[in-house]
Amino acid sequence: MASLFLVILGISVSVGLIIIVLISLSPLLDKRYAAKWKYLIWIFLALRLLVPISGINGQLVIGGAQKQNQTVAGSKEKYTGDLTGVTVPHRRIVVEIPAQMTAPIKAQTEKNDTGITMLDIVAFVWIVGSLIFIAVHFISYFYYKRQLIKNGRMIEDVKALSQIEKLKCELHIRRSIHVMEYYEAESPMIIGFIKPVVVLPKEQYSLEELFFILKHELVHLKRGDIYFKLLLVIANAFHWFNPLIWILHKEAIIDMELSCDERVTKDTGYAVRKAYTETLLSMLHKRCSRRTAFTTQFYGGKKIMKKRFKNILIKKGKKNGICILICAVILTISLGTLVGCATTEQPAGKENTGNNGIQNASGQPEEKTVPTGQMSDKDSANEDDTLKNTTMLTFSKEGEEEQKQATLAVGDGYSIYLPDNEWKQSDSHTWTAIVNEQVQLWITHYEGKSIDSVAQNLEEHGYTAEEGYQDGDLVYHASLKGSEQDVWVIFYSYPVEFEEGWGRELPVIADTFALSAETNGIKSDSPDTASEYLKDEDCQEIRNLVDGFATAYFNGNIDTMQKFLASTYVGEVDGYEGIGSISDLTVKGLSDSDDKKIENGRYFVSLEFRDSSYEDMFLYLTFGLVKQDNNWKIQFYGVEG
């Protein structure tokens, strides 16, 4: 026990130095890097605290003492046996050391025979303190869980369950999750290691608040944060005597919440982030008077909540912190080596055995993965004209790779892979993202055209090979695929603020487009379904629509504006924010010289106008229009200079 305590003490000292460095650099790290990188550093340090590698205060000291005793004993034996082969220097050492060390060695031997050492007492206090620390937390956890099961009520509200299912699909969570209402819960939380339960206080939540609360807790569940909190408690239990480890525990929980907030608000606009902070703000009046460490329940005080709000609302992108994580790992290992870099042979053997076990454990999934890839290659080689029904798509986001399983979607003469449970088919050639209806992908067939002519036509409409074009808050891209006589164009659109999300996924999805072998080069049965033209009555209806909406828009009449919007409209409805007088209103896109072509059910027009606040320039209110119940409606709108 004493030897183990000395090892733990050495680890505690080396990790404590890293904690001091991290706390000192926190203002700089928080400003430049996302919280998830500090969160990963804390996880690594917590794991390091539980790995009993020998240190100078542990096995190195004991091993050294053993070697010293063995040396003295060996010297004695050599001295009393044969002196002829011993040189003068060795003879002096052997003679003087036993004379000086005999009395202390005997005194210590007598002490060990009659009682225990101070180190044994300290080690005993340490192990008792660790057991008490763990016992208190586990007793608190099981008592709270028992009260929850006894007094909680399973929620069967359709709104909550529907939100849970949507978020499970978005976050790719497959395990079953129950939602309970508990009147003594101070804040929403996840509890349970095997069968997790979302616990909500007995409050009335709006749909928006319920969405953010559930998404926050499910992100915790997705990342396994509750197991990380268990890891922190065990690490703190083993190092309860070190105040720096208590600081690590506290800072790790804070960064866990900050990184969770970043994940919840990832690829969202300022309005969504602001709404999320308002949801957190509504919880400030609650105080977590009864908390257990093995849940995701968190408050932290007004100072920490203010830090969370600032981190959520900041718009400036933060750097990739992989280098900081690597530096922290190297520094921790280096300090551990400086504190103690030697082990005895037996622990080294155990360490190697542990490593072999880890390799075997990690090797098992690899064995499952490799045959799958080999099977795919074999299938593609044996069946040249038959496409696989499923595949794995790899996306690069923020320097990290993400994989999703995709299923083959078959159209009229073509096929394309779409990630599972993320897309719905709007019509025969159009797919819409389930979580955001502004994200769409549609395919247009240009029969009897060359790629050059189609590319030139797209350039005239604003498309470029690399950047596409932006219309209001949406970005549009086009990817051309050509056969012998026809050209197929894969169009896709997404909000400009989701460039790091959908902007990375959609090009990969578009690259999976392929023509069906049996229909390659065959004419489509309905070539005009993707492209139609406005009729005179459509033009008049659109003019009336634009005039009515513009009147309400410039007057700030939100209720009237909503009457002109399509059911697929996503986002806030805002009136005109200019302060000048409006004049010279002209509708663009409906004149006799305009093409008036409807592309995949959409038509775009602009309202040109002047604002007296902006001299010598026109402003344009651009509309994306769609047919809904045989009437034209506005799917999106935006002002540009």
Side-chain angles (χ1 to χ4, degrees):
M1 185 186 299
S3 300
L4 179 60
F5 170 71
L6 290 174
V7 174
I8 293 295
L9 183 62
I11 295 173
S12 193
V13 171
S14 62
V15 174
L17 296 175
I18 302 296
I19 295 172
I20 294 175
V21 173
L22 279 176
I23 297 300
S24 302
L25 296 178
S26 284
L28 179 64
L29 296 178
D30 294 341
K31 183 177 180 181
R32 294 189 177 184
Y33 302 98
K36 72 174 183 179
W37 298 109
K38 273 184 65 184
Y39 169 72
L40 293 175
I41 293 175
W42 296 128
I43 292 178
F44 172 77
L45 292 180
L47 289 171
R48 175 67 184 93
L49 290 171
L50 298 178
V51 178
I53 298 176
S54 60
I56 193 167
N57 292 324
Q59 296 172 351
L60 178 61
V61 172
I62 296 173
Q66 292 174 348
K67 290 179 181 178
Q68 185 179 7
N69 291 338
Q70 292 173 357
T71 303
V72 173
S75 299
K76 282 185 176 181
E77 184 179 356
K78 187 174 182 180
Y79 175 71
T80 57
D82 186 9
L83 298 176
T84 58
V86 181
T87 60
V88 174
H90 282 89
R91 192 174 303 157
R92 291 176 181 175
I93 294 173
V94 172
V95 171
E96 294 178 359
I97 289 178
Q100 298 176 357
M101 298 293 292
T102 301
I105 290 175
K106 289 182 178 179
Q108 186 169 351
T109 303
E110 292 175 358
K111 185 175 181 180
N112 289 336
D113 292 337
T114 58
I116 57 176
T117 65
M118 182 60 67
L119 181 60
D120 292 330
I121 296 175
V122 173
F124 179 79
V125 173
W126 163 70
I127 195 66
V128 171
S130 298
L131 293 175
I132 293 175
F133 188 99
I134 293 177
V136 168
H137 281 84
F138 272 96
I139 291 172
S140 174
Y141 167 75
F142 286 114
Y143 175 80
Y144 190 91
K145 190 173 182 180
R146 182 180 178 183
Q147 294 297 314
L148 173 65
I149 296 174
K150 181 180 178 180
N151 301 320
R153 182 182 66 87
M154 196 69 68
I155 293 179
E156 298 179 354
D157 181 54
V158 177
K159 295 187 296 183
L161 298 179
S162 176
Q163 289 278 28
I164 284 283
E165 291 302 318
K166 289 182 180 179
L167 289 170
K168 283 176 60 179
C169 178
E170 178 183 348
L171 298 173
H172 305 289
I173 299 175
R174 296 184 178 181
R175 64 196 304 180
S176 60
I177 303 171
H178 299 288
V179 184
M180 295 187 68
E181 186 180 70
Y182 184 40
Y183 71 97
E184 289 190 3
E186 298 293 333
S187 70
M189 70 182 79
I190 291 279
I191 187 171
F193 297 102
I194 300 176
K195 296 181 178 179
V197 177
V198 178
V199 181
L200 299 177
K202 194 173 183 179
E203 298 284 341
Q204 294 294 328
Y205 300 101
S206 65
L207 286 176
E208 186 176 60
E209 289 177 337
L210 187 62
F211 171 81
F212 286 128
I213 290 171
L214 293 176
K215 186 171 184 180
H216 182 92
E217 298 304 326
L218 291 183
V219 168
H220 276 309
L221 178 65
K222 172 71 174 179
R223 304 190 311 176
D225 288 340
I226 195 168
Y227 303 103
F228 173 53
K229 296 191 78 172
L230 174 62
L231 175 68
L232 286 174
V233 169
I234 296 175
N236 203 352
F238 276 88
H239 301 263
W240 59 267
F241 54 88
N242 188 347
L244 291 174
I245 307 305
W246 292 76
I247 295 176
L248 179 150
H249 193 162
K250 178 182 177 182
E251 292 296 321
I253 298 300
I254 294 173
D255 284 324
M256 182 182 73
E257 291 298 324
L258 291 175
S259 64
C260 183
D261 293 337
E262 291 173 349
R263 177 62 181 85
V264 172
T265 58
K266 182 180 179 182
D267 296 333
T268 60
Y270 179 83
V272 176
R273 298 197 300 271
K274 182 179 179 183
Y276 178 57
T277 59
E278 291 173 353
T279 300
L280 295 178
L281 188 62
S282 67
M283 299 294 171
L284 273 178
H285 69 281
K286 299 180 176 63
R287 297 295 183 267
C288 300
S289 57
R290 178 187 293 177
R291 288 189 293 175
T292 172
F294 302 130
T295 69
T296 58
Q297 181 179 358
F298 178 84
Y299 171 63
K302 293 183 178 179
K303 183 177 180 181
I304 302 303
M305 296 302 289
K306 184 178 179 181
K307 183 178 181 180
R308 290 179 66 183
F309 292 166
K310 183 178 179 181
N311 188 63
I312 294 168
L313 295 175
I314 189 171
K315 193 173 182 181
K316 181 180 178 182
K318 295 186 177 181
K319 298 180 180 179
N320 190 320
I322 186 66
C323 295
I324 301 298
L325 176 60
I326 294 174
C327 290
V329 172
I330 294 175
L331 183 60
T332 303
I333 296 174
S334 300
L335 282 178
T337 303
L338 291 175
V339 172
C341 58
T343 58
T344 60
E345 294 181 0
Q346 184 175 359
K350 292 181 180 179
E351 182 179 349
N352 292 336
T353 303
N355 290 338
N356 292 337
I358 293 174
Q359 291 172 359
N360 292 336
S362 62
Q364 185 175 358
E366 292 178 1
E367 291 176 359
K368 292 181 179 180
T369 303
V370 171
T372 302
Q374 292 173 352
M375 182 67 72
S376 299
D377 295 339
K378 183 178 179 180
D379 290 343
S380 60
N382 293 338
E383 302 177 8
D384 295 334
D385 297 330
T386 303
L387 294 173
K388 295 180 296 179
N389 290 331
T390 61
T391 190
M392 295 298 295
L393 300 181
T394 302
F395 311 104
S396 178
K397 298 179 180 180
E398 297 182 354
E400 298 180 357
E401 288 190 352
E402 177 182 349
Q403 287 192 333
K404 294 183 179 180
Q405 180 170 310
T407 301
L408 193 67
V410 180
D412 185 9
Y414 62 86
S415 61
I416 192 168
Y417 284 101
L418 297 173
D420 294 348
N421 303 319
E422 294 187 10
W423 293 84
K424 61 182 179 180
Q425 190 165 6
S426 304
D427 56 43
S428 58
H429 300 284
T430 304
W431 289 266
T432 304
I434 295 175
V435 297
N436 189 339
E437 294 188 348
Q438 285 186 307
V439 181
Q440 292 193 338
L441 182 146
W442 64 97
I443 297 171
T444 302
H445 179 200
Y446 291 86
E447 184 180 355
K449 300 287 187 179
S450 65
I451 290 183
D452 292 338
S453 63
V454 174
Q456 183 178 358
N457 185 28
L458 292 176
E459 289 181 1
E460 293 175 356
H461 286 79
Y463 287 94
T464 60
E466 297 180 355
E467 299 180 357
Y469 83 93
Q470 182 175 343
D471 189 352
D473 294 333
L474 295 180
V475 177
Y476 292 84
H477 287 270
S479 177
L480 280 68
K481 307 289 183 180
S483 62
E484 294 181 358
Q485 298 179 350
D486 301 323
V487 176
W488 299 76
V489 181
I490 303 93
F491 294 93
Y492 53 89
S493 64
Y494 56 89
V496 64
E497 60 187 8
F498 293 155
E499 180 65 37
E500 291 300 321
W502 293 109
R504 299 291 181 265
E505 286 195 23
L506 286 166
V508 177
I509 295 173
D511 286 341
T512 66
F513 175 88
L515 295 178
S516 301
E518 66 274 12
T519 58
N520 189 2
I522 298 178
K523 296 181 179 180
S524 174
D525 293 335
S526 53
D528 295 332
T529 56
S531 299
E532 300 177 356
Y533 292 87
L534 289 180
K535 300 177 181 178
D536 292 339
E537 52 268 27
D538 290 322
C539 294
Q540 186 59 44
E541 180 184 349
I542 291 174
R543 287 183 184 276
N544 296 336
L545 171 67
V546 171
D547 290 342
F549 183 87
T551 301
Y553 175 74
F554 291 121
N555 292 328
N557 192 337
I558 305 300
D559 293 336
T560 303
M561 292 168 59
Q562 291 177 337
K563 297 178 181 179
F564 298 96
L565 301 179
S567 59
T568 56
Y569 178 85
V570 178
E572 296 184 0
V573 181
D574 297 321
Y576 184 60
E577 298 180 355
I579 59 176
S581 58
I582 307 302
S583 62
D584 299 335
L585 282 74
T586 305
V587 178
K588 299 291 186 179
L590 296 176
S591 64
D592 294 337
S593 59
D594 292 318
D595 191 25
K596 299 181 183 178
K597 179 184 291 187
I598 305 172
E599 295 285 351
N600 293 284
R602 291 188 184 87
Y603 193 73
F604 302 94
V605 296
S606 297
L607 179 64
E608 182 184 79
F609 65 94
R610 286 186 182 274
D611 186 326
S612 59
S613 301
Y614 304 96
E615 297 181 358
D616 300 328
M617 69 175 294
F618 281 101
L619 298 177
Y620 295 88
L621 177 59
T622 303
F623 300 92
L625 307 172
V626 293
K627 275 278 191 177
Q628 181 177 305
D629 298 331
N630 295 324
N631 293 315
W632 286 99
K633 294 289 185 178
I634 298 173
Q635 190 178 44
F636 62 86
Y637 67 92
V639 175
E640 54 188 353

